[in-house]
Amino acid sequence: MNNKAVVITGASSGLGVEFAKQFAGRNFDLVLTARSENKLNELARELEGKHGINVHIVPLDLSRSGSAKKLYEAVKALEVTAEILINNAGFGLFGEFEDTEMQKELDMIEVNITALTELTKYFGKDMVARKSGKILNVASTAAFQPGPLMAVYYATKAYVLSLSEALANEWNDSGVKVAALCPGATETGFSNTAELGQSKLFQSGVMQADEVVAQAVKSLLETNKTVIVPGFKNKMLANSIRFMPRKMVTSVVRKVQERI
Ligand SMILES: NC(=O)c1ccc[n+]([C@@H]2O[C@H](COP(=O)([O-])OP(=O)(O)OC[C@H]3O[C@@H](n4cnc5c(N)ncnc54)[C@H](OP(=O)(O)O)[C@@H]3O)[C@@H](O)[C@H]2O)c1
């Protein structure tokens, strides 16, 4: 039995399912988490049958305080080494700040920021001690600028990008790699959960989840990149806004986010 595994959060849907499939295809054992236990079970059985790997599931709600520690302890109890951590679980919420539901935004901060930070700390410390490991934090192209009408979501992703770049620097010579994945609009369950409805954001060409994940996995395993932006259009956008006044960029984002 291979006792080195990839731990993937948000593995019940979208990018998380693709991460599970593509690491399984590379013969890694997996530990999968999300709230939807049935979906995790189904995926685990499918990947074990197809690839002959070990897939463990740890159903958890990462918006609940203490869940990240439970996941870390569950992985320890399984006696597998988390060689790779994919901090992918996350969600957004569309709407004017004064109208959006505060509890949803607080839960979002718990999942997108707090749990991600805790998991990076728990697993990262072990990786540094072992002098080996990789952490991929799923941010977004939303990380590069403020996002009117999804203000909290964009701010959470700016945090994820900043944290990842700082840790990549701190752990540069430690044998531990940290990278941030910054996808643009991608076909997953994200736009439904975020209540994006007819927002223009998802009407002007989306990437497929398998394409995004293929680029992410290749970059994580084969390059030294800290910021991974999949897709030519997303790369162009991420680079071009660096030279524009920030207020102007913010107004453009608002226009792109507005409903048709
Ligand atoms: N799709 C896009 O356009 C896009 C673009 C840029 C970045 N991203 C980022 O990509 C990541 C994956 O999202 P996706 O696009 O694949 O969306 P998705 O299909 O909605 O998947 C989100 C995943 O996160 C999990 N999750 C949500 N809340 C959770 C909670 N409280 N506790 C535990 N798990 C939770 C969900 O599982 P359960 O519901 O089963 O708990 C699900 O597996 C997110 O961080 C998102 O911000 C997406």
Side-chain angles (χ1 to χ4, degrees):
M1 180 182 127
N2 174 10
N3 73 342
K4 290 191 174 177
V6 186
V7 177
I8 303 171
T9 70
S12 64
S13 165
L15 295 176
V17 169
E18 270 306 320
F19 275 115
K21 287 183 175 170
Q22 295 193 25
F23 279 114
R26 289 175 182 254
N27 221 26
F28 283 92
D29 284 347
L30 305 173
V31 180
L32 309 179
T33 187
R35 289 166 302 182
S36 310
E37 187 169 356
N38 289 346
K39 289 188 189 169
L40 292 179
N41 251 322
E42 214 173 284
L43 180 63
R45 300 296 80 82
E46 176 195 327
L47 297 179
E48 282 183 337
K50 197 165 168 191
H51 300 283
I53 55 164
N54 299 298
V55 185
H56 309 277
I57 69 160
V58 184
L60 278 173
D61 182 346
L62 288 175
S63 71
R64 299 264 168 89
S65 169
S67 292
K69 188 154 196 213
K70 275 192 194 152
L71 174 59
Y72 173 71
E73 283 167 354
V75 173
K76 288 255 158 205
L78 288 167
E79 295 185 359
V80 294
T81 304
E83 189 57 23
I84 301 178
L85 168 65
I86 309 290
N87 268 318
N88 163 74
F91 67 97
L93 184 63
F94 181 88
E96 307 259 357
F97 186 69
E98 72 274 21
D99 297 332
T100 46
E101 200 184 304
M102 173 124 92
Q103 192 54 52
K104 282 191 184 165
E105 284 164 337
L106 296 178
D107 287 349
M108 189 199 304
I109 291 168
E110 281 293 324
V111 177
N112 296 11
I113 292 184
T114 309
L116 175 143
T117 307
E118 287 183 84
L119 292 172
T120 301
K121 175 85 89 180
Y122 292 135
F123 288 108
K125 268 178 111 160
D126 289 351
M127 289 177 184
V128 171
R130 281 200 317 268
K131 298 187 171 57
S132 132
K134 297 184 198 305
I135 299 177
L136 181 68
N137 290 328
V138 180
S140 165
T141 47
F144 298 116
Q145 71 285 303
L149 303 178
M150 285 184 92
V152 176
Y153 177 71
Y154 275 58
T156 65
K157 294 303 183 178
Y159 172 92
V160 173
L161 177 62
S162 176
L163 178 78
S164 307
E165 288 187 281
L167 296 184
N169 175 285
E170 284 191 29
W171 291 344
N172 190 29
D173 295 321
S174 70
V176 180
K177 176 180 171 159
V178 182
L181 172 65
C182 299
T186 307
E187 185 77 48
T188 65
F190 178 83
S191 61
N192 269 345
T193 308
E195 301 170 21
L196 274 160
Q198 288 301 300
S199 162
K200 282 178 242 163
L201 190 63
F202 274 71
Q203 314 296 321
S204 57
V206 293
M207 280 184 79
Q208 297 306 307
D210 58 347
E211 239 184 287
V212 169
V213 170
Q215 291 187 31
V217 172
K218 192 167 169 25
S219 247
L220 185 73
L221 298 180
E222 297 171 19
T223 76
N224 215 13
K225 273 190 191 158
T226 302
V227 182
I228 304 165
V229 183
F232 178 72
K233 196 175 99 187
N234 294 328
K235 278 193 189 72
M236 289 285 288
L237 277 173
N239 282 321
S240 61
I241 58 167
R242 284 199 263 166
F243 306 104
M244 286 164 67
R246 211 156 155 86
K247 241 183 174 170
M248 188 193 285
V249 173
T250 309
S251 326
V252 172
V253 173
R254 188 194 166 110
K255 290 246 168 324
V256 174
Q257 300 242 105
E258 278 169 352
R259 295 203 158 110
I260 296 170

Short mmCIF file of all heavy atoms in Angstrom, two decimals, residues 177-224:
data_model
loop_
_atom_site.label_atom_id
_atom_site.label_comp_id
_atom_site.label_asym_id
_atom_site.label_seq_id
_atom_site.Cartn_x
_atom_site.Cartn_y
_atom_site.Cartn_z
N LYS A 177 6.47 23.07 -1.40
CA LYS A 177 6.02 24.03 -2.41
C LYS A 177 4.60 24.51 -2.09
O LYS A 177 3.74 23.67 -1.76
CB LYS A 177 6.05 23.34 -3.78
CG LYS A 177 5.51 24.22 -4.86
CD LYS A 177 5.52 23.56 -6.21
CE LYS A 177 4.75 24.50 -7.13
NZ LYS A 177 5.03 24.34 -8.51
N VAL A 178 4.37 25.81 -2.19
CA VAL A 178 3.01 26.35 -2.05
C VAL A 178 2.67 27.12 -3.33
O VAL A 178 3.50 27.90 -3.81
CB VAL A 178 2.90 27.33 -0.85
CG1 VAL A 178 1.47 27.84 -0.70
CG2 VAL A 178 3.34 26.66 0.44
N ALA A 179 1.49 26.89 -3.86
CA ALA A 179 1.06 27.63 -5.05
C ALA A 179 -0.41 28.01 -4.92
O ALA A 179 -1.16 27.37 -4.18
CB ALA A 179 1.28 26.77 -6.30
N ALA A 180 -0.77 29.08 -5.63
CA ALA A 180 -2.19 29.50 -5.68
C ALA A 180 -2.69 29.26 -7.10
O ALA A 180 -2.02 29.64 -8.07
CB ALA A 180 -2.30 30.97 -5.34
N LEU A 181 -3.85 28.61 -7.20
CA LEU A 181 -4.49 28.43 -8.51
C LEU A 181 -5.53 29.54 -8.68
O LEU A 181 -6.39 29.72 -7.81
CB LEU A 181 -5.17 27.05 -8.56
CG LEU A 181 -6.04 26.79 -9.80
CD1 LEU A 181 -5.19 26.77 -11.07
CD2 LEU A 181 -6.81 25.47 -9.65
N CYS A 182 -5.45 30.26 -9.80
CA CYS A 182 -6.37 31.39 -10.03
C CYS A 182 -7.18 31.17 -11.30
O CYS A 182 -6.89 31.78 -12.35
CB CYS A 182 -5.58 32.69 -10.13
SG CYS A 182 -4.65 33.07 -8.64
N PRO A 183 -8.23 30.34 -11.24
CA PRO A 183 -9.07 30.15 -12.43
C PRO A 183 -9.99 31.35 -12.63
O PRO A 183 -10.34 32.04 -11.68
CB PRO A 183 -9.92 28.92 -12.08
CG PRO A 183 -9.50 28.46 -10.73
CD PRO A 183 -8.73 29.58 -10.09
N GLY A 184 -10.38 31.56 -13.89
CA GLY A 184 -11.47 32.49 -14.19
C GLY A 184 -12.76 31.67 -14.19
O GLY A 184 -12.78 30.52 -13.70
N ALA A 185 -13.82 32.23 -14.80
CA ALA A 185 -15.11 31.54 -14.80
C ALA A 185 -14.96 30.13 -15.38
O ALA A 185 -14.42 29.94 -16.47
CB ALA A 185 -16.11 32.34 -15.62
N THR A 186 -15.45 29.15 -14.62
CA THR A 186 -15.30 27.73 -14.99
C THR A 186 -16.63 27.04 -14.78
O THR A 186 -17.35 27.32 -13.80
CB THR A 186 -14.22 27.06 -14.09
OG1 THR A 186 -13.02 27.84 -14.15
CG2 THR A 186 -13.92 25.64 -14.55
N GLU A 187 -16.96 26.12 -15.69
CA GLU A 187 -18.23 25.38 -15.64
C GLU A 187 -18.24 24.38 -14.47
O GLU A 187 -17.62 23.31 -14.57
CB GLU A 187 -18.36 24.64 -16.98
CG GLU A 187 -19.65 23.92 -17.22
CD GLU A 187 -20.76 24.87 -17.60
OE1 GLU A 187 -20.53 25.72 -18.48
OE2 GLU A 187 -21.83 24.75 -17.00
N THR A 188 -18.88 24.75 -13.36
CA THR A 188 -19.00 23.88 -12.18
C THR A 188 -20.31 24.25 -11.48
O THR A 188 -21.10 25.01 -12.04
CB THR A 188 -17.85 24.14 -11.15
OG1 THR A 188 -18.00 25.46 -10.65
CG2 THR A 188 -16.47 23.96 -11.76
N GLY A 189 -20.48 23.81 -10.24
CA GLY A 189 -21.68 24.22 -9.48
C GLY A 189 -21.54 25.62 -8.90
O GLY A 189 -22.47 26.13 -8.26
N PHE A 190 -20.39 26.28 -9.12
CA PHE A 190 -20.09 27.56 -8.46
C PHE A 190 -21.13 28.65 -8.72
O PHE A 190 -21.60 29.31 -7.79
CB PHE A 190 -18.71 28.05 -8.92
CG PHE A 190 -18.32 29.38 -8.35
CD1 PHE A 190 -17.75 29.47 -7.08
CD2 PHE A 190 -18.52 30.57 -9.05
CE1 PHE A 190 -17.39 30.70 -6.54
CE2 PHE A 190 -18.17 31.80 -8.51
CZ PHE A 190 -17.61 31.86 -7.27
N SER A 191 -21.52 28.84 -10.01
CA SER A 191 -22.38 29.99 -10.32
C SER A 191 -23.77 29.83 -9.70
O SER A 191 -24.40 30.80 -9.30
CB SER A 191 -22.46 30.24 -11.83
OG SER A 191 -22.99 29.14 -12.48
N ASN A 192 -24.26 28.57 -9.59
CA ASN A 192 -25.54 28.34 -8.92
C ASN A 192 -25.47 28.67 -7.45
O ASN A 192 -26.32 29.38 -6.91
CB ASN A 192 -25.95 26.86 -9.03
CG ASN A 192 -26.78 26.64 -10.26
OD1 ASN A 192 -27.29 27.59 -10.86
ND2 ASN A 192 -26.91 25.39 -10.67
N THR A 193 -24.43 28.14 -6.78
CA THR A 193 -24.28 28.38 -5.34
C THR A 193 -24.14 29.87 -5.06
O THR A 193 -24.67 30.38 -4.08
CB THR A 193 -23.04 27.64 -4.80
OG1 THR A 193 -23.12 26.29 -5.20
CG2 THR A 193 -22.95 27.71 -3.28
N ALA A 194 -23.43 30.57 -5.94
CA ALA A 194 -23.18 32.00 -5.72
C ALA A 194 -24.37 32.87 -6.10
O ALA A 194 -24.32 34.09 -5.97
CB ALA A 194 -21.94 32.42 -6.51
N GLU A 195 -25.45 32.21 -6.60
CA GLU A 195 -26.66 32.94 -7.01
C GLU A 195 -26.33 33.98 -8.08
O GLU A 195 -26.83 35.11 -8.05
CB GLU A 195 -27.35 33.58 -5.79
CG GLU A 195 -27.76 32.54 -4.74
CD GLU A 195 -28.21 33.13 -3.41
OE1 GLU A 195 -28.59 34.31 -3.38
OE2 GLU A 195 -28.17 32.40 -2.40
N LEU A 196 -25.45 33.59 -9.01
CA LEU A 196 -25.00 34.55 -10.03
C LEU A 196 -26.07 34.83 -11.09
O LEU A 196 -26.01 35.84 -11.78
CB LEU A 196 -23.72 34.04 -10.71
CG LEU A 196 -22.44 34.43 -9.96
CD1 LEU A 196 -21.28 33.54 -10.36
CD2 LEU A 196 -22.09 35.88 -10.22
N GLY A 197 -27.03 33.89 -11.23
CA GLY A 197 -28.14 34.12 -12.16
C GLY A 197 -27.66 34.55 -13.52
O GLY A 197 -26.84 33.89 -14.15
N GLN A 198 -28.14 35.67 -13.99
CA GLN A 198 -27.80 36.15 -15.33
C GLN A 198 -26.61 37.12 -15.31
O GLN A 198 -26.47 37.95 -16.21
CB GLN A 198 -29.01 36.85 -15.96
CG GLN A 198 -30.12 35.90 -16.36
CD GLN A 198 -29.65 34.85 -17.36
OE1 GLN A 198 -29.21 35.18 -18.45
NE2 GLN A 198 -29.72 33.58 -16.99
N SER A 199 -25.74 37.02 -14.32
CA SER A 199 -24.57 37.90 -14.31
C SER A 199 -23.76 37.68 -15.59
O SER A 199 -23.59 36.55 -16.04
CB SER A 199 -23.70 37.58 -13.09
OG SER A 199 -22.41 38.10 -13.28
N LYS A 200 -23.24 38.78 -16.15
CA LYS A 200 -22.50 38.69 -17.42
C LYS A 200 -21.23 37.87 -17.26
O LYS A 200 -20.69 37.36 -18.23
CB LYS A 200 -22.13 40.12 -17.89
CG LYS A 200 -23.30 40.84 -18.53
CD LYS A 200 -22.89 42.24 -18.94
CE LYS A 200 -23.71 43.27 -18.19
NZ LYS A 200 -23.17 44.62 -18.19
N LEU A 201 -20.75 37.76 -16.02
CA LEU A 201 -19.48 37.09 -15.75
C LEU A 201 -19.39 35.71 -16.39
O LEU A 201 -18.36 35.32 -16.91
CB LEU A 201 -19.32 36.96 -14.23
CG LEU A 201 -17.98 36.50 -13.69
CD1 LEU A 201 -16.90 37.50 -14.06
CD2 LEU A 201 -18.05 36.37 -12.17
N PHE A 202 -20.52 34.96 -16.33
CA PHE A 202 -20.48 33.57 -16.82
C PHE A 202 -21.05 33.45 -18.23
O PHE A 202 -21.25 32.36 -18.72
CB PHE A 202 -21.20 32.65 -15.84
CG PHE A 202 -20.29 32.16 -14.74
CD1 PHE A 202 -19.85 33.02 -13.75
CD2 PHE A 202 -19.82 30.86 -14.73
CE1 PHE A 202 -18.99 32.59 -12.76
CE2 PHE A 202 -18.96 30.41 -13.74
CZ PHE A 202 -18.55 31.28 -12.75
N GLN A 203 -21.31 34.60 -18.87
CA GLN A 203 -21.92 34.55 -20.20
C GLN A 203 -20.88 34.73 -21.31
O GLN A 203 -21.19 34.59 -22.47
CB GLN A 203 -23.00 35.65 -20.37
CG GLN A 203 -23.98 35.77 -19.22
CD GLN A 203 -24.83 34.52 -19.04
OE1 GLN A 203 -25.25 33.92 -20.01
NE2 GLN A 203 -25.06 34.15 -17.80
N SER A 204 -19.64 35.06 -20.93
CA SER A 204 -18.67 35.39 -21.99
C SER A 204 -17.54 34.36 -22.07
O SER A 204 -16.38 34.71 -22.10
CB SER A 204 -18.09 36.78 -21.73
OG SER A 204 -17.50 36.81 -20.45
N GLY A 205 -17.94 33.08 -22.06
CA GLY A 205 -16.93 32.04 -22.25
C GLY A 205 -16.37 31.54 -20.94
O GLY A 205 -15.77 32.30 -20.18
N VAL A 206 -16.64 30.26 -20.66
CA VAL A 206 -16.12 29.66 -19.43
C VAL A 206 -15.17 28.54 -19.81
O VAL A 206 -15.29 27.95 -20.87
CB VAL A 206 -17.25 29.09 -18.54
CG1 VAL A 206 -18.12 30.19 -18.00
CG2 VAL A 206 -18.07 28.07 -19.30
N MET A 207 -14.23 28.22 -18.90
CA MET A 207 -13.37 27.07 -19.14
C MET A 207 -14.04 25.82 -18.56
O MET A 207 -14.91 25.92 -17.70
CB MET A 207 -12.00 27.27 -18.46
CG MET A 207 -11.07 28.16 -19.26
SD MET A 207 -9.43 28.30 -18.49
CE MET A 207 -8.65 26.75 -18.96
N GLN A 208 -13.63 24.67 -19.04
CA GLN A 208 -14.12 23.41 -18.49
C GLN A 208 -13.24 23.01 -17.30
O GLN A 208 -12.02 23.26 -17.31
CB GLN A 208 -14.10 22.30 -19.55
CG GLN A 208 -15.02 22.58 -20.74
CD GLN A 208 -16.46 22.86 -20.30
OE1 GLN A 208 -17.05 22.07 -19.56
NE2 GLN A 208 -17.01 23.99 -20.72
N ALA A 209 -13.86 22.36 -16.32
CA ALA A 209 -13.13 22.01 -15.09
C ALA A 209 -11.94 21.09 -15.37
O ALA A 209 -10.87 21.25 -14.76
CB ALA A 209 -14.09 21.35 -14.10
N ASP A 210 -12.09 20.14 -16.30
CA ASP A 210 -10.98 19.20 -16.55
C ASP A 210 -9.76 19.92 -17.11
O ASP A 210 -8.62 19.59 -16.78
CB ASP A 210 -11.43 18.04 -17.45
CG ASP A 210 -11.96 18.48 -18.80
OD1 ASP A 210 -12.24 19.69 -18.97
OD2 ASP A 210 -12.11 17.63 -19.68
N GLU A 211 -10.01 20.94 -17.94
CA GLU A 211 -8.90 21.72 -18.53
C GLU A 211 -8.16 22.51 -17.45
O GLU A 211 -6.94 22.55 -17.40
CB GLU A 211 -9.55 22.77 -19.45
CG GLU A 211 -9.17 22.76 -20.90
CD GLU A 211 -9.86 23.95 -21.54
OE1 GLU A 211 -11.10 23.87 -21.72
OE2 GLU A 211 -9.19 24.94 -21.84
N VAL A 212 -8.95 23.16 -16.57
CA VAL A 212 -8.37 23.97 -15.48
C VAL A 212 -7.50 23.08 -14.59
O VAL A 212 -6.35 23.41 -14.26
CB VAL A 212 -9.49 24.63 -14.64
CG1 VAL A 212 -8.96 25.24 -13.35
CG2 VAL A 212 -10.23 25.69 -15.46
N VAL A 213 -8.04 21.92 -14.24
CA VAL A 213 -7.33 21.04 -13.32
C VAL A 213 -6.11 20.41 -13.99
O VAL A 213 -5.06 20.26 -13.35
CB VAL A 213 -8.31 19.98 -12.74
CG1 VAL A 213 -7.57 18.90 -11.97
CG2 VAL A 213 -9.33 20.67 -11.84
N ALA A 214 -6.21 20.08 -15.26
CA ALA A 214 -5.05 19.50 -15.95
C ALA A 214 -3.88 20.49 -15.91
O ALA A 214 -2.74 20.11 -15.61
CB ALA A 214 -5.41 19.16 -17.40
N GLN A 215 -4.17 21.77 -16.17
CA GLN A 215 -3.10 22.78 -16.14
C GLN A 215 -2.56 22.95 -14.72
O GLN A 215 -1.36 23.12 -14.51
CB GLN A 215 -3.61 24.11 -16.68
CG GLN A 215 -3.89 24.04 -18.18
CD GLN A 215 -4.23 25.40 -18.79
OE1 GLN A 215 -3.77 26.44 -18.35
NE2 GLN A 215 -5.06 25.39 -19.81
N ALA A 216 -3.47 22.89 -13.74
CA ALA A 216 -3.05 23.09 -12.34
C ALA A 216 -2.16 21.95 -11.87
O ALA A 216 -1.11 22.17 -11.26
CB ALA A 216 -4.29 23.18 -11.45
N VAL A 217 -2.57 20.72 -12.16
CA VAL A 217 -1.81 19.55 -11.68
C VAL A 217 -0.43 19.51 -12.35
O VAL A 217 0.59 19.27 -11.69
CB VAL A 217 -2.61 18.24 -11.95
CG1 VAL A 217 -1.76 17.01 -11.64
CG2 VAL A 217 -3.88 18.22 -11.09
N LYS A 218 -0.41 19.76 -13.64
CA LYS A 218 0.88 19.77 -14.36
C LYS A 218 1.82 20.82 -13.77
O LYS A 218 2.99 20.56 -13.50
CB LYS A 218 0.60 20.06 -15.85
CG LYS A 218 1.79 19.81 -16.76
CD LYS A 218 1.31 19.83 -18.21
CE LYS A 218 2.37 19.85 -19.27
NZ LYS A 218 3.66 19.35 -19.04
N SER A 219 1.28 22.01 -13.54
CA SER A 219 2.09 23.10 -12.98
C SER A 219 2.59 22.75 -11.58
O SER A 219 3.75 22.98 -11.25
CB SER A 219 1.23 24.35 -12.86
OG SER A 219 1.66 25.32 -13.71
N LEU A 220 1.70 22.18 -10.77
CA LEU A 220 2.08 21.86 -9.39
C LEU A 220 3.17 20.80 -9.35
O LEU A 220 4.12 20.88 -8.57
CB LEU A 220 0.84 21.36 -8.62
CG LEU A 220 1.07 21.10 -7.13
CD1 LEU A 220 1.21 22.43 -6.37
CD2 LEU A 220 -0.08 20.29 -6.53
N LEU A 221 3.03 19.79 -10.21
CA LEU A 221 3.97 18.66 -10.15
C LEU A 221 5.25 18.91 -10.95
O LEU A 221 6.30 18.35 -10.63
CB LEU A 221 3.30 17.37 -10.66
CG LEU A 221 2.09 16.88 -9.86
CD1 LEU A 221 1.53 15.61 -10.48
CD2 LEU A 221 2.44 16.63 -8.40
N GLU A 222 5.16 19.75 -11.97
CA GLU A 222 6.30 19.81 -12.90
C GLU A 222 6.99 21.17 -12.99
O GLU A 222 7.99 21.29 -13.69
CB GLU A 222 5.83 19.39 -14.31
CG GLU A 222 5.34 17.96 -14.35
CD GLU A 222 4.68 17.59 -15.66
OE1 GLU A 222 4.90 18.30 -16.67
OE2 GLU A 222 3.92 16.59 -15.68
N THR A 223 6.42 22.22 -12.36
CA THR A 223 7.07 23.53 -12.47
C THR A 223 7.25 24.14 -11.08
O THR A 223 6.76 23.59 -10.10
CB THR A 223 6.23 24.53 -13.31
OG1 THR A 223 5.14 25.00 -12.50
CG2 THR A 223 5.70 23.92 -14.58
N ASN A 224 7.90 25.29 -11.08
CA ASN A 224 8.12 25.96 -9.80
C ASN A 224 7.21 27.19 -9.65
O ASN A 224 7.50 28.09 -8.87
CB ASN A 224 9.59 26.36 -9.72
CG ASN A 224 10.07 26.24 -8.30
OD1 ASN A 224 9.39 25.64 -7.46
ND2 ASN A 224 11.21 26.83 -8.01
#
